[in-house]
Amino acid sequence: MNLMEIKLELQQVVRAGYSIELFVPDAQEVQERYFQQKKTKDDIPFPHWTRLWPSAFALADFIHQHSGIVENKNVLELAAGLGLPGLVAARYAKSVCCSDYLEESVLTMDRSAMHLQLSNLTCRVLDWNNLPEDLTTEVLLVSDINYDPEQFDRLYLVLQGFLHKGTTILLSSPQRLMAKPFIERLLPDCKEQYETLVEFEGHQVMISLLVIREP
């Protein structure tokens, strides 16, 4: 999907105690282009990155409410999509890198960062299946990454790799039944666990938020 052909809309996100603006692709246009491309190519991933999901709201809210976790720290957001948690973290962190494996996502986040004049935020293409061995961060942000059971083992290894480097992980996830085994594997290293309800498209979604770090 060519980002240059997609209309981007500046959206104001208003949450309890804070608000922020970021660029969001036109949802209808994205959906129409996706189904057009699917007619000729089956392996095109669904553009999940083009929407703001409940887990992203929950993680951004948590960062706002517990800013000390990221204050003056180097922060990395993986699979960031539109980068809401990373954009909020940039208000407090020393540096933030918002990343995704799709270039369209990264370019959109970069537009938001430039609009917000966040000099401490960079955007980068990163795929969790092929991360640089020397990649380090003090705090890792991940929201709603555990939606594909085929990826659970790989994701677990990725998160363990960051933990072994001394990283604190902030993970938010909707309470999907299929994701329960993945979350349970992380619980031995979970130091704090919260649950919060997020209003989303007319109904409330329960989100789990884990603070994970080694002793």
Side-chain angles (χ1 to χ4, degrees):
M1 190 175 296
N2 188 343
L3 182 64
M4 301 304 295
E5 300 175 358
I6 301 175
K7 179 183 178 182
L8 294 179
E9 302 171 338
L10 190 61
Q11 179 173 326
Q12 184 178 33
V13 173
V14 180
R15 306 295 295 169
Y18 73 99
S19 64
I20 192 168
E21 291 183 331
L22 74 167
F23 282 99
V24 177
D26 182 273
Q28 183 175 352
E29 184 178 353
V30 167
Q31 182 172 315
E32 289 174 355
R33 289 182 180 275
Y34 168 75
F35 286 114
Q36 287 175 359
Q37 293 176 342
K38 283 286 285 186
K39 293 178 182 178
T40 58
K41 193 174 181 181
D42 290 334
D43 60 348
I44 295 176
F46 188 82
H48 294 291
W49 71 271
T50 59
R51 299 186 64 190
L52 289 169
W53 298 98
S55 290
F57 287 121
L59 184 53
D61 292 350
F62 182 83
I63 291 167
H64 169 73
Q65 296 160 4
H66 303 81
S67 59
I69 294 181
V70 299
E71 190 171 3
N72 298 321
K73 300 288 180 60
N74 296 313
V75 177
L76 169 66
E77 184 174 7
L78 274 182
L82 293 171
L84 176 60
L87 293 170
V88 172
R91 296 179 170 183
Y92 314 103
K94 178 181 179 181
S95 70
V96 175
C97 177
C98 289
S99 70
D100 199 281
Y101 80 104
L102 292 170
E103 185 178 9
E104 299 95 327
S105 165
V106 174
L107 292 172
T108 302
M109 291 187 288
D110 193 51
R111 283 281 301 276
S112 296
M114 288 189 293
H115 170 73
L116 296 171
Q117 299 182 340
L118 296 173
S119 59
N120 64 334
L121 190 146
T122 58
C123 302
R124 178 180 179 183
V125 174
L126 285 175
D127 185 341
W128 68 47
N129 290 300
N130 189 29
L131 293 175
E133 292 185 5
D134 61 349
L135 183 65
T136 61
T137 186
E138 292 177 279
V139 181
L140 178 69
L141 310 179
V142 280
S143 63
D144 205 353
I145 59 169
N146 51 311
Y147 55 84
D148 182 1
E150 293 184 1
Q151 289 283 326
F152 287 176
D153 286 343
R154 176 58 187 165
L155 282 171
Y156 178 77
L157 292 175
V158 168
L159 297 184
Q160 287 296 307
F162 278 104
L163 282 177
H164 294 337
K165 294 177 182 178
T167 300
T168 295
I169 300 173
L170 304 183
L171 180 148
S172 60
S173 171
Q175 296 185 350
R176 300 187 184 97
L177 184 60
M178 68 174 182
K180 187 177 179 180
F182 175 80
I183 296 297
E184 288 178 341
R185 291 180 72 182
L186 299 174
L187 291 180
D189 292 312
C190 180
K191 305 308 175 188
E192 300 174 48
Q193 185 174 1
Y194 304 87
E195 291 185 344
T196 183
L197 282 172
V198 175
E199 189 76 24
F200 183 71
E201 297 182 345
H203 62 280
Q204 292 187 320
V205 181
M206 182 66 76
I207 304 296
S208 294
L209 198 142
L210 280 60
V211 179
I212 308 168
R213 62 169 71 94
E214 286 194 324

